[in-house]
Amino acid sequence: MTKWVYSFGDGKAEGEAGMRNLLGGKGANLAEMSNLGLPVPPGFSITTEVCTWFYAHGETYPDTLKAEVDAALAKVGTQAGGTLGDATRPLLVSVRSGARVSMPGMMDTVLNLGLNAATTEGLAKLTGDARFAYDSYRRFIQMYSDVVLGVDHALFEEILDSEKEDKGYDLDTELSAEDLKRIAGLFKERVQKELGKPFPEDVHEQLWGAIGAVFGSWRSPRANTYRKLHNIPEEWGTAVTVQAMVFGNRGETSATGVAFTRDPSTGEKILYGEFLINAQGEDVVAGIRTPQSISKIVRERQGAKKPSMEEAMPKAFAELKAICDRLEAHYRDMQDLEFTVQEGKLFMLQTRSGKRTAEAALKAAVDMEREGLIDKKTAVGRVDPAALDQLLHPTLDPNAPKEQIAAGLAASPGAATGEVAFTAEEAEKRAADNVDVILVRTETSPEDIHGMHAARGILTARGGMTSHAAVVARGMGRPCVSGAGMIKIDVAKGEMSAGRHVIRRGDIITIDGATGSVFKGRVALRQPELTGDFGVLMGWADSIRTLKVRTNADTPEDAATARKFGAEGIGLCRTEHMFFDEHRIIAVRQMILADAESERRAALAKLLPMQRGDFEKIFKVMEGLPVTIRLLDPPLHEFLPQDEDEILEVAKAAGTDPGKLRMRAIALHEANPMLGHRGVRLGITYPEIYEMQARAILEAALNVEAAGGKPVQLEIMIPLVGFKAELDRMRERIDAVAEAVKRERGRVPGFLIGTMIELPRAALQARQIAQTAEFFSFGTNDLTQTTIGISRDDAGGFLTDYLNKGVIQRDPFVTIDVDGVGELVRIAAERGRQTRPNLKLGICGEHGGDPDSIRFCHGAGLDYVSCSPFRVPVARLAAAQANLAKAADSD
């Protein structure tokens, strides 16, 4: 019979850390901490399999679940010394979510469950603290009503603020027991008014309502968005953890907090985190009160005046530090922990691998290897390749003029500048119009995640380093400044004030997530330097990977940037980008407008020295590394003007009749240019174009070598080949040019001729095409379009629906469609190498910088991936992890 419930507590547990797929990360780690003998309040986990059942059976539960929950609840009561619903010794529990991977703030939690009119009175008598009892009760009503009953929490905040205002209070802690009792009554009246039925008094009804709400939150809009952003499958489901409550709101000897065993922003080995005295856990992460630092050194660095936990609660701090050290050594990874101190006694409520910035991940991985906690392979596998993008974000130019208007906490590193948006919807809409946006909020909530993702940076008036805004921004790699208390935000007016400054919607500000500073207007940014821990980890990755990493670069500047990031060659140099230069476009248009081949050749003769010069500059930068040059690919009409004013201007500059130019543009127009007269088809019709480009390439290589440069590893690539005969004809032309150059110069550089595989027919005919081609480069952007029959430019209108409705799991233009496009890649690789065993294979589409696609390329036997310059570090690390994964799979 299936077991649905697993208990933990009292120094033992039915589960352990390896059962996270079944118990969720929270439940598995609570079980593990119990087995380690740490102070964990007793509880139980309802498995992820129940979540799967819940959705598969119309949001109902297995028949045997209730009996298992009742038995586990009785066990918790025995260990905690109470009973759910008992007015004499009431047991209170928390009900929390727990997916197998951390999804901070995305799903629901209920605290203090088990309180009603009778048990609250009983709790007051049992503890001798009526204020604590009614404070817990009003919190429970508000949280349960919001999470389970769907009553907006802001309605309760209005009541609370009104009561404090009537009393002349600023803080919740100033409210008396009688005040809180009255507020709890007002809360229940509001529930009755909103729902037409009373707040539930039956504690078991409360429990099952909370369990259902947690399972229900797995498919909430915010959880769906988070899963989509982080590629978490919906079928994984969530577990539910029910745990005896311990209370951080029992007075000045009680507290609650969140701790990291290392600084999650920098990776420094220092106990880092925040706590609040006389508070409950949600107060810390919700950003309702700005918390205090755990460590004295962090408080001093931040210039905070309130004492740290190390100073205010030295005994509990020392115990916490010892447990943190033990857990990090046990898990061999940085930990993110939640804890409560109840009347001086420390309890551990959670541990998990801590979310961290890329900088922190790098430093922690390298430091832990040096400390002997992990080996080099583990260190390389520990850093998310996609997160390396965070290190490539710009920082503020220290010499740039700037006007600081506010300061907060340095919640997530990096700098960003953009227009102010005050709502998530506004940020998302402006970003869709290609406007850089800074999302400014009093505090963020999980519902804001789509706007946070769209924004360049995030600024909040409230909240600490572990608030929702800070945690989510770090995970996304967005710069964030939180807790900037001096800014006042009026969303209705569309403005914020910071001292004498008023910033309105659409005004530009700049934030620095590394210092917590906020500046008026646009501040110049500077690109980062990649050294230190980055270089060490990349060195380890390079020693592990077998897949080469090249770059897509069309200019010497791009090539130099890519080399700085470790590129081992150019996998795609697009020659057409060179034609759009304002000094060349006239000659290009003269070539297109020519009526005879002789006229075209005359125009191409003007372009020859320009192309040759372009290639010389790139070859010098690459210093003998392989360079793959794709001959002209786009249709010719792209080079012609479209509107009337531009036609007149171009005709005048080219010395031609506007009518002729207009008619030529009409003649070249195509209904579907992506599948039209482009690529090799241009070479067949106008071979003189490819001949000019081949000559420019070969002469440039000779010139660089003659000037003392390293011999160039040339690879000339013919695009859009579908028939072997197309490539044969182009090879004959290029070989003829090479012979001519040899006669003129006495020698010709070595070169390979190959093709882009971007048509299904080319993949299927790879055996024949490889008789002529010496290399294949998979152009997966176009191969995806031609295989699936989707235009990349038009797919946005429906691909989102496909993703939301589960038709597809990943955007095929971001991550390669393994079963379709990937199958064609495998077929082409296999058939091509049957003909030519040493056939060089690479990929040069956008997928070349996507970690999951790189893993596929490694498995398919490709020799290299090629990606944009700033994705080169990502590809290097992903290639190493692909090799490690393949080795692990074969063990």
Side-chain angles (χ1 to χ4, degrees):
M1 187 173 70
T2 302
K3 182 176 174 61
W4 305 111
V5 176
Y6 289 74
S7 295
F8 59 84
D10 199 24
K12 55 184 179 295
E14 293 177 326
E16 44 86 20
M19 297 172 67
R20 64 186 306 110
N21 290 1
L22 184 67
L23 303 181
K26 188 187 299 288
N29 287 329
L30 283 168
E32 188 76 2
M33 287 197 293
S34 294
N35 289 329
L36 290 172
L38 299 182
V40 175
F44 57 89
S45 295
I46 303 172
T47 69
T48 57
E49 291 178 347
V50 175
C51 186
T52 303
W53 176 288
F54 180 78
Y55 284 112
H57 295 81
E59 300 190 2
T60 60
Y61 300 109
D63 292 339
T64 57
L65 179 63
K66 186 178 185 304
E68 287 193 46
V69 167
D70 289 344
L73 192 61
K75 192 174 180 180
V76 172
T78 300
Q79 293 174 353
T83 302
L84 193 70
D86 186 344
T88 307
R89 297 192 65 84
L91 170 69
L92 305 186
V93 297
S94 63
V95 181
R96 302 174 187 263
S97 64
R100 67 171 75 174
V101 294
S102 176
M103 294 173 58
M106 293 303 110
M107 289 181 294
D108 290 331
T109 293
V110 176
L111 304 180
N112 304 324
L113 190 145
L115 285 174
N116 56 25
T119 57
T120 303
E121 282 292 335
L123 183 64
K125 291 176 183 176
L126 180 67
T127 60
D129 189 344
R131 190 198 177 284
F132 153 71
Y134 281 99
D135 182 44
S136 300
Y137 192 26
R138 66 94 185 170
R139 289 171 181 270
F140 169 61
I141 296 169
Q142 180 172 357
M143 186 176 284
Y144 191 92
S145 298
D146 178 28
V147 169
V148 181
L149 304 180
V151 181
D152 189 347
H153 72 96
L155 298 175
F156 302 103
E157 287 295 327
E158 289 174 5
I159 294 171
L160 187 63
D161 289 344
S162 176
E163 288 294 307
K164 286 194 294 185
E165 189 175 336
D166 289 346
K167 293 281 186 177
Y169 296 155
D170 293 322
L171 303 175
D172 297 356
T173 50
E174 297 175 88
L175 293 164
S176 69
E178 284 303 313
D179 294 333
L180 291 164
K181 185 174 183 178
R182 183 176 60 260
I183 288 168
L186 292 172
F187 280 6
K188 290 199 288 185
E189 288 176 12
R190 193 55 188 257
V191 172
Q192 176 78 49
K193 179 181 177 182
E194 293 295 319
L195 301 181
K197 60 181 180 181
F199 185 85
E201 290 282 297
D202 185 315
V203 294
H204 292 282
E205 179 187 343
Q206 293 174 3
L207 176 63
W208 285 99
I211 290 170
V214 172
F215 282 136
S217 68
W218 177 248
R219 288 189 178 176
S220 68
R222 65 179 188 261
N224 288 339
T225 298
Y226 189 92
R227 282 200 303 274
K228 201 184 309 175
L229 292 174
H230 295 273
N231 300 315
I232 299 170
E234 182 182 303
E235 60 267 21
W236 281 5
T238 182
V240 175
T241 295
V242 179
Q243 190 174 21
M245 284 291 301
V246 285
F247 300 95
N249 59 333
R250 288 293 303 272
E252 295 303 306
T253 61
S254 300
T256 188
V258 175
F260 294 85
T261 57
R262 298 180 191 234
D263 185 329
S265 288
T266 68
E268 180 184 3
K269 188 172 172 57
I270 183 173
L271 189 57
Y272 191 93
E274 297 168 326
F275 83 117
L276 281 170
I277 292 174
N278 195 19
Q280 287 200 326
E282 293 303 299
D283 296 342
V284 178
V285 297
I288 295 169
R289 288 165 56 188
T290 299
Q292 298 155 238
S293 294
I294 285 180
S295 299
K296 179 182 177 182
I297 188 172
V298 175
R299 177 189 67 77
E300 291 173 342
R301 288 177 184 176
Q302 294 177 345
K305 294 180 180 177
K306 289 187 177 181
S308 65
M309 182 179 177
E310 186 175 1
E311 296 162 301
M313 296 180 161
K315 185 179 178 212
F317 173 83
E319 188 179 356
L320 175 66
K321 187 175 186 312
I323 288 174
C324 286
D325 290 343
R326 184 178 175 189
L327 286 172
E328 183 175 273
H330 179 75
Y331 283 99
R332 300 190 307 141
D333 195 8
M334 182 186 106
Q335 294 297 293
D336 166 5
L337 311 102
E338 293 180 15
F339 65 90
T340 286
V341 180
Q342 178 176 298
E343 297 178 302
K345 180 172 174 54
L346 176 69
F347 292 93
M348 303 307 299
L349 304 182
Q350 175 167 284
T351 190
R352 59 189 174 191
S353 292
K355 291 201 175 293
R356 64 208 82 173
T357 64
E359 179 186 351
L362 278 171
K363 180 168 177 56
V366 172
D367 284 354
M368 286 182 178
E369 191 276 339
R370 289 168 176 160
E371 293 163 15
L373 275 180
I374 59 178
D375 59 21
K376 289 181 175 63
K377 289 182 179 179
T378 302
V380 166
R382 188 64 60 78
V383 179
D384 178 8
L388 289 182
D389 270 346
Q390 295 177 22
L391 296 180
L392 309 179
H393 293 323
T395 54
L396 293 183
D397 181 344
N399 299 317
K402 48 183 89 73
E403 181 182 4
Q404 184 168 348
I405 60 172
L409 299 174
S412 184
T417 185
E419 295 184 6
V420 168
F422 292 110
T423 68
E425 291 71 25
E426 194 181 314
E428 188 174 46
K429 184 176 184 299
R430 297 296 288 142
D433 294 331
N434 295 316
V435 175
D436 291 343
V437 174
I438 305 295
L439 178 61
V440 179
R441 303 283 282 156
T442 301
E443 60 198 359
T444 63
S445 70
E447 283 76 13
D448 292 324
I449 188 168
H450 58 293
M452 297 174 74
H453 185 251
R456 291 288 182 181
I458 299 148
L459 169 64
T460 67
R462 293 207 294 249
M465 300 294 289
T466 51
S467 65
H468 175 265
V471 171
V472 173
R474 284 196 294 269
M476 289 181 173
R478 300 290 187 276
C480 177
V481 174
S482 65
M486 68 288 297
I487 67 172
K488 308 298 178 188
I489 299 167
D490 189 328
V491 176
K493 285 186 178 180
E495 65 182 36
M496 77 174 193
S497 60
R500 62 184 175 84
H501 300 280
V502 176
I503 306 296
R504 294 179 174 83
R505 177 182 287 111
D507 289 350
I508 291 175
I509 63 170
T510 299
I511 64 170
D512 185 354
T515 65
S517 303
V518 182
F519 303 95
K520 185 177 182 179
R522 193 180 303 277
V523 179
L525 304 177
R526 189 175 70 172
Q527 296 302 322
E529 297 287 332
L530 296 178
T531 56
D533 294 328
F534 176 86
V536 171
L537 192 83
M538 287 294 104
W540 295 345
D542 290 342
S543 69
I544 292 169
R545 67 182 170 91
T546 56
L547 197 64
K548 298 291 186 183
V549 176
R550 299 191 191 182
T551 190
N552 302 337
D554 312 325
T555 67
E557 292 77 17
D558 283 349
T561 298
R563 286 211 62 193
K564 182 180 73 172
F565 290 146
E568 298 164 299
I570 291 178
L572 176 62
C573 178
R574 307 171 183 90
T575 55
E576 62 270 9
H577 289 183
M578 304 167 183
F579 288 169
F580 284 100
D581 182 274
E582 61 180 329
H583 301 297
R584 307 173 187 196
I585 193 68
I586 293 176
V588 173
R589 286 165 172 167
Q590 287 174 339
M591 180 267 294
I592 296 171
L593 293 170
D595 293 319
E597 181 181 333
S598 59
E599 294 176 7
R600 278 194 298 276
R601 288 191 180 275
L604 288 166
K606 297 177 184 178
L607 289 170
L608 173 61
M610 301 176 189
Q611 282 258 279
R612 186 170 56 224
D614 291 330
F615 296 137
E616 287 174 5
K617 292 173 186 175
I618 290 173
F619 294 161
K620 286 176 184 176
V621 171
M622 297 313 292
E623 297 184 303
L625 293 172
V627 178
T628 305
I629 300 171
R630 182 181 72 185
L631 301 188
L632 190 66
D633 184 34
L636 294 181
H637 77 87
E638 289 192 9
F639 298 98
L640 294 180
Q642 304 301 317
D643 63 71
E644 189 62 26
D645 289 342
E646 196 177 4
I647 286 174
L648 293 173
E649 181 184 344
V650 170
K652 182 179 178 181
T656 190
D657 177 44
K660 179 180 179 181
L661 181 58
R662 198 178 296 112
M663 292 305 294
R664 188 66 169 148
I666 293 171
L668 290 173
H669 174 75
E670 295 176 300
N672 189 353
M674 200 275 287
L675 296 178
H677 195 188
R678 52 168 286 218
V680 69
R681 299 160 191 172
L682 287 174
I684 296 292
T685 306
Y686 308 115
E688 54 273 15
I689 298 176
Y690 279 12
E691 289 172 5
M692 180 278 290
Q693 291 192 294
R695 176 174 284 273
I697 293 166
L698 297 173
E699 289 181 350
L702 288 176
N703 291 348
V704 169
E705 290 182 41
K710 293 182 180 179
V712 184
Q713 297 183 50
L714 280 181
E715 298 173 358
I716 300 174
M717 183 159 66
I718 313 299
L720 211 72
V721 166
F723 298 86
K724 176 179 178 292
E726 293 172 321
L727 188 60
D728 289 342
R729 287 173 180 262
M730 291 302 98
R731 172 138 212 159
E732 289 171 9
R733 292 281 186 166
I734 294 170
D735 285 342
V737 171
E739 283 300 315
V741 170
K742 185 176 181 180
R743 287 194 302 271
E744 297 163 13
R745 301 283 295 264
R747 58 182 294 267
V748 69
F751 63 91
L752 301 178
I753 292 180
T755 185
M756 284 185 89
I757 302 293
E758 44 196 332
L759 296 174
R761 190 181 197 281
L764 296 173
Q765 289 291 300
R767 191 181 290 111
Q768 289 72 30
I769 292 173
Q771 293 172 14
T772 303
E774 295 167 293
F775 67 87
F776 287 168
S777 179
F778 293 95
T780 49
N781 296 343
D782 278 355
L783 187 58
T784 297
Q785 295 190 95
T786 56
T787 299
I788 305 178
I790 294 178
S791 165
R792 182 170 53 167
D793 297 329
D794 301 318
F798 59 88
L799 266 189
T800 301
D801 289 335
Y802 272 51
L803 289 164
N804 290 339
K805 294 177 180 179
V807 177
I808 57 175
Q809 299 303 312
R810 306 288 292 276
D811 184 333
F813 293 107
V814 175
T815 298
I816 197 164
D817 164 33
V818 172
D819 296 332
V821 177
E823 183 66 13
L824 286 173
V825 171
R826 281 189 288 258
I827 288 170
E830 179 183 341
R831 292 181 181 179
R833 281 181 170 161
Q834 286 173 354
T835 297
R836 190 184 294 269
N838 63 343
L839 183 71
K840 188 181 292 187
L841 300 174
I843 183 175
C844 62
E846 289 298 314
H847 300 106
D850 172 64
D852 288 339
S853 302
I854 289 168
R855 183 169 180 171
F856 163 79
C857 292
H858 180 84
L862 272 60
D863 297 301
Y864 68 86
V865 296
S866 188
C867 56
S868 62
F870 281 88
R871 296 292 289 178
V872 167
V874 174
R876 289 165 65 194
L877 184 57
Q881 292 182 357
N883 200 25
L884 290 173
K886 187 174 182 180
D889 290 343
S890 62
D891 287 346

